[in-house]
Amino acid sequence: MSELVGNLLVGQSGGPTAVINSSLAGAVNEALNHSCIEEIYGALNGVLGILQEDFIDLAAESQQQIRGLRHTPGAALGTCRYKLKKQQDFDRVIEVFKAHNIRYFLYAGGNDSQDTADKISKLAQQLGWEMRVIGIPKTIDNDLAHTDHCPGYGSVIKHVASTVRQLACDNEGMGQHDLVSILEVMGRSAGWIAAGAALAKRRDHPHDPPHIICLPEVAFDSAKFVEDVQRVLKRETYCLVVVGEGLVDKDGNYVSVSSKTDAFGHGQLGGAGDYLAGLVEAGIPGVKARTAKLGIVQRAAALEASKTDSDEAYMAGAAAVQAAVNGTTDKCVILLRGDADQYSCETALVDLSEIANGVKKLPREWVNEDGISMNFQFHRYALPLIQGEVAVPFENGLPSFAKLSKAPVDKLLPAYEV
Amino acid sequence: MSELVGNLLVGQSGGPTAVINSSLAGAVNEALNHSCIEEIYGALNGVLGILQEDFIDLAAESQQQIRGLRHTPGAALGTCRYKLKKQQDFDRVIEVFKAHNIRYFLYAGGNDSQDTADKISKLAQQLGWEMRVIGIPKTIDNDLAHTDHCPGYGSVIKHVASTVRQLACDNEGMGQHDLVSILEVMGRSAGWIAAGAALAKRRDHPHDPPHIICLPEVAFDSAKFVEDVQRVLKRETYCLVVVGEGLVDKDGNYVSVSSKTDAFGHGQLGGAGDYLAGLVEAGIPGVKARTAKLGIVQRAAALEASKTDSDEAYMAGAAAVQAAVNGTTDKCVILLRGDADQYSCETALVDLSEIANGVKKLPREWVNEDGISMNFQFHRYALPLIQGEVAVPFENGLPSFAKLSKAPVDKLLPAYEV
């Protein structure tokens, strides 16, 4: 294999996670090891930054800031939900890559983003521009196919389960068999995040909170829900419910959905918690329902990030560079779990197109027959992913996060209108 | 002064905080130092536990669990919002105190709870039952009069400001001058908690998030709000808003209020964040608003508790015991700040009735003229309160909290119907 010499470009796409910057740190640090990589650029705001040549010089960042990325939530390069649609957009991407001699392109994102990376890769091949395109998996939703789990997931469920543990301490002291506490979490099409709340239960304590988990995988039945709550309130002084935003009824319709859609045409969800609170207060006289909605907080919760997750995200970023330098292209890094009893994890590669078009549902057989709790198979799967804590430095009482200085790379082409 | 020999009873009331158990630990540990205190009881669920003789033996708890209270959120004894109303209730309290030889009663709570303690104390005097009643201040709302600040407040604002710092990392990478992120926090009648979000701004960085703080102290003007958001979105890629649930319009009406009321007749608030999101999306085309509502999570956020706050809560619990043993009664512990540049804090005592009937508003002169940000006086006041982090032990990836074994004390009286 002949060595491909040129510049590396890394971009971030879609909704941020607590550890997407850890992947960025892994990619930058690994890239520095390879002399075939001349410059290390970051694309600001994903494909938008590529179209507009908004690149920064990542090699110019201080080591302190790059190290700080390992505990900094959000997408330090910026992301976008802009979807390349027109052929003109794709042509522009290749034109920009040629102008900046981009021979290595790494894109961290979910399936929509890996679909974009795949199309870019195929167009480059078609146009004879030799380059390597590697995807880095990223989503709190854990719904990427092929990978055992996805960087970002371990941290969000560690935060959600920690939150349940803390909420439970409060609710237990407050309830007199009359308090329903509802925590709404993200998860548009799969209940992976809501399911993760189950980790808050201690081993062999099935009655520990969360008492009820409402998953998109289980058709919601409001009468059964109210009965489930009543049963819990007979046994416990309070009932702690975790609900995924994507809850659907037996006809597959969201129980609560706003009329808005995002750039990819997905309906914007929210309000499932308030919906359940309304059911409780209407259905059970004298019982009060309190809601909390973690919203974006859950995917930015670096203070409760999983060290396992952060380390694996870093490893995925580094693995993407290694694969590209080794001549691989049009692949996405995935995580494989070892077979041994002791948890282990290594990276592998699959075709971008395979990632782009798959969705991994929460296995129905991991949900107990009651439809509102998870069985040992889920715990065995998820518990290793939340192990270890990330040390975040505090300054003057508050967490201190990295902030890139973002030295701009000169633009070489005429401006492009998006 | 003759030594008063007998038993000590401690109770917790109202909404829990991240550090109310630290006060309990302080009281228990200090009580063990005094031979005039024979037994150390805890009343389960505040006055409800007193009426029903639901006492536990706190001296029988392991040292490990009492130490663990210092990082455990919620009210380990349970609280209630039951208000003693009938004379019969008050008479029962004294009857129970006599039966169990309760000579020391400590009650941790806000102003409603200290009002209850005051009434109990006065009735005991009237009935000739010699005892000492001391209040321990507790509220995340920081609206207790006379005390410089209130145990519970430092931790909730440390959590809120940390959350803003984390949210900002996420929002900054997501926004294209089109994202408004709204964080709803508690605060029924005062904006102390929302104001605390201002600590997320770095010194001399007035444009740091939160960009807009909506306080109950400043009459809400929806047109001005939309203008403020638009101004921020011109300058920044996103606009981060923190809103207190008790936001009111110029006529003093809550901008959002449900029809429910709690046991004390206070309206239950919520939805201020969703209300602002609606204004943004209706008023600024193309801009999307995302909401998060911390709900009960904010007062249970032990993982982001302030060590200063936790230590002061512990000190307040211990000071209550010391005051009672020294012959003081019908007083509430307060916190006084030292005059020196270097922050220091000590306890003092004021009449329970003074605490019961006062409310401390956020000084209007600490709010900047723009009505949406805090000036240096607030920062000088609040920044010392969030210093230091509480070490919470993790087990198997999740925080581990104390759980009292709650050995019951024998009941000595006929049952009482509440």
Side-chain angles (χ1 to χ4, degrees):
Chain A
M1 184 194 74
S2 69
E3 191 181 64
L4 181 61
V5 176
N7 300 328
L8 178 141
L9 179 70
V10 56
Q12 298 173 321
S13 179
T17 77
V19 301
I20 183 173
N21 289 330
S22 192
S23 289
L24 176 60
V28 171
N29 285 348
E30 180 63 25
L32 291 166
N33 293 334
H34 300 279
S35 57
C36 58
I37 295 173
E38 296 180 319
E39 303 288 346
I40 307 172
Y41 295 156
L44 296 182
N45 306 314
V47 290
L48 275 182
I50 301 176
L51 293 174
Q52 297 171 329
E53 283 184 281
D54 277 330
F55 294 168
I56 61 167
D57 183 358
L58 281 168
E61 298 290 338
S62 73
Q63 293 180 70
Q64 193 179 31
Q65 293 305 317
I66 297 296
R67 189 175 55 189
L69 290 177
R70 296 189 72 164
H71 65 254
T72 299
L77 295 175
T79 84
C80 69
R81 292 200 173 271
Y82 183 82
K83 194 165 174 134
L84 298 180
K85 285 171 208 143
K86 303 173 291 188
Q87 186 56 40
Q88 199 189 346
D89 280 352
F90 284 99
D91 292 342
R92 168 73 176 187
V93 168
I94 306 300
E95 188 187 11
V96 169
F97 283 1
K98 286 179 177 173
H100 291 273
N101 196 30
I102 304 298
R103 297 293 186 169
Y104 299 95
F105 174 52
L106 311 182
Y107 207 38
N111 42 15
D112 282 317
S113 310
Q114 301 310 343
D115 183 50
T116 299
D118 186 43
K119 286 176 175 149
I120 290 172
S121 171
K122 296 210 158 81
L123 182 62
Q125 285 167 42
Q126 195 184 315
L127 297 176
W129 178 251
E130 189 182 0
M131 71 179 301
R132 283 95 188 242
V133 177
I134 303 287
I136 301 169
K138 177 255 26 158
T139 170
I140 58 167
D141 292 328
N142 205 40
D143 59 356
L144 287 191
H146 305 289
T147 188
D148 176 77
H149 56 280
C150 193
Y153 178 60
S155 291
V156 75
I157 62 173
K158 185 181 177 100
H159 171 64
V160 167
S162 287
T163 300
V164 168
R165 281 260 172 110
Q166 294 176 92
L167 257 183
C169 287
D170 182 291
N171 296 165
E172 191 178 355
M174 281 296 284
Q176 311 281 348
H177 304 279
D178 60 356
L179 172 64
V180 177
S181 183
I182 299 167
L183 184 67
E184 180 182 320
V185 301
M186 286 178 163
R188 181 185 281 121
S189 56
W192 285 108
I193 298 175
L199 298 179
K201 288 182 197 278
R202 293 165 299 168
R203 195 183 173 92
D204 300 325
H205 285 74
H207 288 172
D208 270 3
H211 306 109
I212 296 174
I213 300 176
C214 296
L215 302 162
E217 284 77 4
V218 180
F220 183 72
D221 174 337
S222 57
K224 177 179 179 296
F225 172 71
V226 171
E227 281 166 25
D228 287 339
V229 170
Q230 282 174 310
R231 190 177 315 110
V232 172
L233 285 178
K234 271 193 192 138
R235 193 182 71 219
E236 315 283 341
T237 57
Y238 70 105
C239 175
L240 199 159
V241 178
V242 174
V243 58
E245 60 182 346
L247 200 62
V248 294
D249 63 20
K250 65 177 168 40
D251 302 318
N253 299 315
Y254 291 120
V255 300
S256 67
V257 62
S258 83
S259 56
K260 298 185 302 177
T261 53
D262 69 14
F264 291 110
H266 304 138
Q268 290 236 335
L269 302 178
D274 289 333
Y275 172 78
L276 296 189
L279 288 180
V280 164
E281 298 205 339
I284 317 178
V287 167
K288 61 173 178 286
R290 303 289 297 262
T291 60
K293 178 184 161 187
L294 292 177
I296 290 176
V297 173
Q298 68 200 286
R299 71 181 190 205
L303 292 174
E304 290 162 37
S306 155
K307 184 164 193 310
T308 297
D309 185 32
S310 176
D311 289 350
E312 289 175 354
Y314 185 90
M315 180 170 76
V321 174
Q322 288 156 4
V325 168
N326 289 337
T328 306
T329 189
D330 210 16
K331 301 278 184 186
C332 185
V333 173
I334 59 169
L335 300 176
L336 293 182
R337 182 188 300 241
D339 288 333
D341 278 353
Q342 176 83 21
Y343 174 79
S344 66
C345 179
E346 58 184 34
T347 61
L349 298 163
V350 296
D351 289 350
L352 282 172
S353 58
E354 299 258 329
I355 291 286
N357 299 309
V359 168
K360 185 166 66 177
K361 286 269 182 188
L362 181 69
R364 185 61 178 81
E365 64 270 22
W366 291 3
V367 184
N368 284 323
E369 274 201 25
D370 62 12
I372 55 173
S373 63
M374 308 303 297
N375 68 24
F376 76 97
Q377 294 181 86
F378 177 77
H379 286 259
R380 194 172 55 188
Y381 170 82
L383 197 55
L385 312 182
I386 66 165
Q387 299 301 310
E389 289 72 55
V390 173
V392 178
F394 273 69
E395 274 177 21
N396 214 0
L398 290 174
S400 173
F401 296 119
K403 209 168 170 69
L404 298 179
S405 57
K406 297 188 181 174
V409 173
D410 289 341
K411 298 191 183 195
L412 304 171
L413 295 173
Y416 181 82
E417 196 77 32
V418 292
Chain B
M1 183 194 74
S2 68
E3 190 180 67
L4 181 63
V5 176
N7 300 327
L8 178 140
L9 179 70
V10 55
Q12 299 174 318
S13 180
T17 76
V19 301
I20 183 174
N21 289 329
S22 192
S23 290
L24 176 58
V28 171
N29 285 346
E30 180 63 26
L32 290 167
N33 293 335
H34 300 279
S35 58
C36 59
I37 295 173
E38 296 180 316
E39 302 288 346
I40 307 172
Y41 294 156
L44 296 183
N45 306 313
V47 289
L48 275 182
I50 302 177
L51 293 174
Q52 297 171 329
E53 283 184 279
D54 277 331
F55 294 167
I56 62 167
D57 183 357
L58 282 168
E61 298 290 337
S62 73
Q63 294 180 69
Q64 192 179 32
Q65 293 304 318
I66 297 296
R67 189 174 57 189
L69 290 177
R70 296 189 72 164
H71 66 254
T72 298
L77 295 175
T79 85
C80 69
R81 292 200 174 271
Y82 183 82
K83 194 163 174 136
L84 298 181
K85 285 170 208 145
K86 303 173 291 188
Q87 186 56 41
Q88 198 188 347
D89 280 352
F90 284 99
D91 292 342
R92 168 74 177 185
V93 167
I94 306 302
E95 187 187 11
V96 170
F97 282 1
K98 286 179 176 173
H100 290 273
N101 195 31
I102 304 298
R103 297 293 185 169
Y104 300 95
F105 174 51
L106 312 181
Y107 207 36
N111 41 16
D112 282 316
S113 310
Q114 302 311 344
D115 184 50
T116 299
D118 185 42
K119 286 177 176 148
I120 289 173
S121 172
K122 297 210 157 79
L123 182 61
Q125 285 168 43
Q126 194 183 316
L127 297 177
W129 178 251
E130 188 181 2
M131 71 178 301
R132 283 94 188 243
V133 177
I134 303 287
I136 302 169
K138 177 253 28 156
T139 170
I140 58 168
D141 291 329
N142 205 40
D143 59 357
L144 287 191
H146 304 288
T147 188
D148 176 77
H149 56 282
C150 192
Y153 178 59
S155 291
V156 74
I157 62 173
K158 186 182 178 95
H159 171 63
V160 167
S162 287
T163 300
V164 168
R165 282 260 171 112
Q166 294 176 91
L167 257 184
C169 288
D170 182 291
N171 297 165
E172 190 178 356
M174 280 297 284
Q176 310 282 349
H177 305 279
D178 58 357
L179 172 65
V180 177
S181 183
I182 299 167
L183 184 68
E184 180 181 320
V185 300
M186 285 177 164
R188 181 185 281 122
S189 56
W192 285 108
I193 298 175
L199 299 179
K201 288 181 196 277
R202 292 165 300 167
R203 196 185 171 92
D204 299 327
H205 285 74
H207 287 172
D208 269 4
H211 306 109
I212 295 175
I213 299 175
C214 296
L215 302 162
E217 284 76 6
V218 180
F220 183 72
D221 174 337
S222 57
K224 176 178 180 298
F225 172 72
V226 171
E227 282 167 22
D228 287 338
V229 170
Q230 283 174 311
R231 190 177 316 110
V232 172
L233 285 179
K234 271 192 190 138
R235 192 182 72 218
E236 314 283 339
T237 57
Y238 69 104
C239 175
L240 200 159
V241 178
V242 174
V243 57
E245 58 182 349
L247 200 61
V248 294
D249 63 20
K250 65 177 167 37
D251 302 318
N253 298 315
Y254 290 121
V255 300
S256 68
V257 62
S258 83
S259 56
K260 296 186 302 175
T261 53
D262 69 16
F264 292 109
H266 304 137
Q268 290 238 333
L269 302 178
D274 288 334
Y275 172 78
L276 296 188
L279 288 180
V280 165
E281 298 206 339
I284 317 177
V287 167
K288 60 174 175 289
R290 303 290 296 263
T291 59
K293 178 184 160 188
L294 291 177
I296 290 177
V297 174
Q298 67 201 285
R299 71 181 190 207
L303 292 173
E304 289 161 39
S306 155
K307 186 165 191 311
T308 297
D309 185 33
S310 177
D311 289 350
E312 289 174 355
Y314 185 91
M315 181 170 75
V321 174
Q322 289 155 4
V325 167
N326 289 338
T328 307
T329 188
D330 211 18
K331 300 277 183 187
C332 185
V333 174
I334 58 169
L335 299 176
L336 293 182
R337 182 187 302 240
D339 287 334
D341 277 353
Q342 176 84 18
Y343 173 79
S344 66
C345 179
E346 58 184 32
T347 61
L349 298 163
V350 296
D351 289 349
L352 281 172
S353 59
E354 299 258 330
I355 291 286
N357 298 310
V359 168
K360 184 165 68 176
K361 284 270 184 189
L362 181 70
R364 186 59 178 83
E365 64 270 23
W366 291 4
V367 184
N368 283 324
E369 275 202 24
D370 62 11
I372 54 172
S373 63
M374 307 304 298
N375 68 24
F376 76 98
Q377 294 181 85
F378 176 78
H379 285 260
R380 193 172 54 188
Y381 169 81
L383 198 54
L385 311 183
I386 66 165
Q387 298 302 310
E389 289 72 54
V390 173
V392 178
F394 273 69
E395 273 179 20
N396 214 359
L398 290 174
S400 174
F401 296 119
K403 210 168 171 66
L404 297 180
S405 57
K406 297 189 182 174
V409 173
D410 288 342
K411 298 190 182 195
L412 304 172
L413 295 173
Y416 181 82
E417 196 77 31
V418 292

